[in-house]
């Protein structure tokens, strides 16, 4: 919509999150701080075309002795926009959470508890029809990793909702929500990407079928559909010949179904490029790419061109 993108941006700015806000849109991340180091940066827009850039210092996000280094998570529900990021003080770091009811022009610090074995690190924020959810990384009684969920109806008051995977074999890394509930994705102790879904006030969470191997697949985002079905997207580890998308649907009954991009109108855009040409005798060779893969074509004499390479 805007050819100039999200601007203004200063040298060193890096956008980490983009989300709808209570009034318009919000983008956030990190940038260079005066005198060195990093500071959080927030861009807000009413229409997605014209943006205003402000730093954590300009917005008054930091408390005494604190530096807000980045904003990594954002969500919105009703008139509440909630963000979270890394705060540094006296050589330690922890997550800060802020609430805006005016579309991101003014912020107040809110307290998300860190109890029931939770760490000081927020690993994601999500919003659903019932309210907002925050998930912290936690430690189970047996010593394993788990997730601790906190719920708020308005972004102001937060309360413990549930411990996700209380047996201690899962580390959260992503939190999202929709009108059908909440989803959090993490890595299991067996090395698999595993999602949990919850609804209402986030008191009960159910695991889905594993989404794939964490060593070879990255889940970048997810959402919840009807019946607690999770739709997850991401990418597989790149190889010398290319990289493939991850697009799967998983449910709490243990079923995992890949979603075919080729079955979606406009889901795949054919690509063809020829970058160079060489000839020797009556043989010619052209090199380039096709549909994202390196490609080599060959012609002998006056015959037809033939593709002689493959993705393998």
């Amino acid at each position: 919509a805007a050819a100039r993108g999200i601007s203004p941006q200063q040298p060193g700015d890096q956008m980490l999150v983009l989300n709808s806000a209570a009034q318009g849109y919000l983008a956030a991340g990190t940038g260079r701080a005066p005198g060195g180091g990093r500071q959080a940066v927030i861009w807000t827009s009413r229409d997605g075309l014209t943006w205003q850039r402000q730093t954590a210092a300009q917005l008054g996000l930091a408390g005494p002795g604190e530096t807000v280094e980045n904003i990594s998570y954002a969500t919105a529900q009703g008139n509440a926009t909630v963000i979270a990021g890394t705060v540094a003080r006296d050589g330690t770091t922890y997550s800060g959470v802020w609430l805006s009811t005016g579309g991101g022009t003014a912020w107040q610090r809110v307290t998300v508890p860190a109890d029931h074995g939770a760490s000081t690190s927020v690993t994601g924020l999500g919003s659903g029809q019932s309210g907002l959810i925050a998930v912290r990384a936690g430690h189970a009684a047996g010593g394993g990793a788990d997730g601790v969920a906190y719920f708020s109806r308005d972004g102001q008051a937060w309360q413990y909702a549930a411990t996700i995977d209380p047996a201690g074999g899962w580390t959260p890394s992503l939190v999202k929500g929709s009108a059908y509930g909440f989803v959090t994705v993490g890595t299991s102790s067996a090395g698999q990407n595993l999602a949990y879904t919850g609804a209402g006030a986030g008191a009960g969470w159910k695991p889905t079928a594993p989404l794939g191997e964490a060593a070879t697949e990255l889940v970048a985002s997810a959402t919840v559909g009807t019946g607690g079905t999770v739709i997850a997207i991401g990418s597989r580890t790149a190889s010398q010949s290319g990289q493939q998308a991850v697009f799967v649907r998983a449910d709490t009954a243990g079923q995992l179904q890949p979603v075919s991009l080729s079955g979606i109108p406009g889901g795949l855009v054919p690509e063809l490029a020829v970058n160079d040409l060489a000839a020797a005798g009556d043989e010619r060779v052209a090199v380039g790419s096709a549909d994202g893969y390196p490609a080599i074509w060959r012609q002998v004499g006056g015959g037809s061109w033939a593709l002689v390479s493959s993705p393998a």
Side-chain angles (χ1 to χ4, degrees):
R4 60 185 177 275
I6 296 176
S7 61
Q9 290 197 35
Q10 302 296 327
D13 283 356
Q14 182 181 5
M15 189 173 65
L16 303 176
V17 62
L18 173 66
N19 207 82
S20 59
Q23 300 174 20
Y25 305 92
L26 179 142
T30 183
R32 294 175 184 170
R38 308 294 294 177
Q39 65 174 340
V41 179
I42 294 177
W43 294 266
T44 54
S45 173
R46 296 280 183 174
D47 57 8
L49 301 175
T50 303
W51 296 81
Q52 180 182 13
R53 178 188 184 274
Q54 291 180 289
T55 65
Q58 291 171 324
L59 292 167
L61 300 185
E66 291 182 336
T67 300
V68 181
E69 296 182 338
N70 62 59
I71 298 296
S72 300
Y73 309 108
T75 193
Q77 196 253 8
N79 68 342
T81 302
V82 180
I83 57 174
T86 302
V87 180
R89 181 181 179 181
D90 299 331
T92 63
T93 59
Y94 46 91
S95 292
V97 182
W98 296 265
L99 166 68
S100 174
T101 56
T105 56
W107 298 89
Q108 67 176 104
R109 191 80 159 259
V110 294
T111 300
V112 176
D115 51 20
H116 292 79
S119 71
T120 59
S121 174
V122 172
T123 59
L125 300 169
S127 61
Q129 198 168 35
S130 57
L132 304 123
I133 205 83
V135 176
R136 292 185 184 273
H139 301 282
D146 60 19
V148 186
Y150 298 90
F151 178 77
S152 176
R153 295 198 180 278
D154 56 8
Q156 181 74 54
W158 294 80
Q159 63 188 34
Y160 168 78
T163 297
I164 306 171
D165 194 350
W170 175 82
T171 302
S173 58
L174 173 70
V175 182
K176 294 291 181 180
S178 74
Y180 299 104
F182 305 108
V183 56
T184 177
V185 181
T187 305
S188 71
S189 57
Q192 295 180 315
N193 293 318
L194 184 62
Y196 283 83
T197 61
W205 295 79
K206 296 180 180 180
T208 68
L211 306 178
E213 297 294 329
T216 57
E217 296 183 359
L218 170 68
V219 177
S221 193
T223 192
V224 189
T226 57
T229 300
V230 170
I231 297 93
I233 60 170
S235 60
R236 292 185 174 87
T237 302
S239 67
Q240 290 184 337
S241 60
Q243 188 172 25
Q244 295 298 306
V246 170
F247 195 173
V248 296
R249 181 169 53 205
D251 60 30
T252 55
Q255 296 180 322
L256 179 71
Q257 180 182 0
V259 178
S260 173
L261 287 172
S262 61
I264 301 172
L268 292 178
V269 179
E271 176 267 345
L272 181 67
V274 176
N275 300 325
D276 209 348
L277 186 69
D282 66 345
E283 182 176 354
R284 290 191 290 176
V285 172
V287 294
S289 61
D291 294 335
Y293 290 101
I296 304 172
W297 297 269
R298 179 172 177 262
Q299 183 195 48
V300 178
S304 300
W305 286 92
L307 179 69
V308 295
S309 61
S310 71

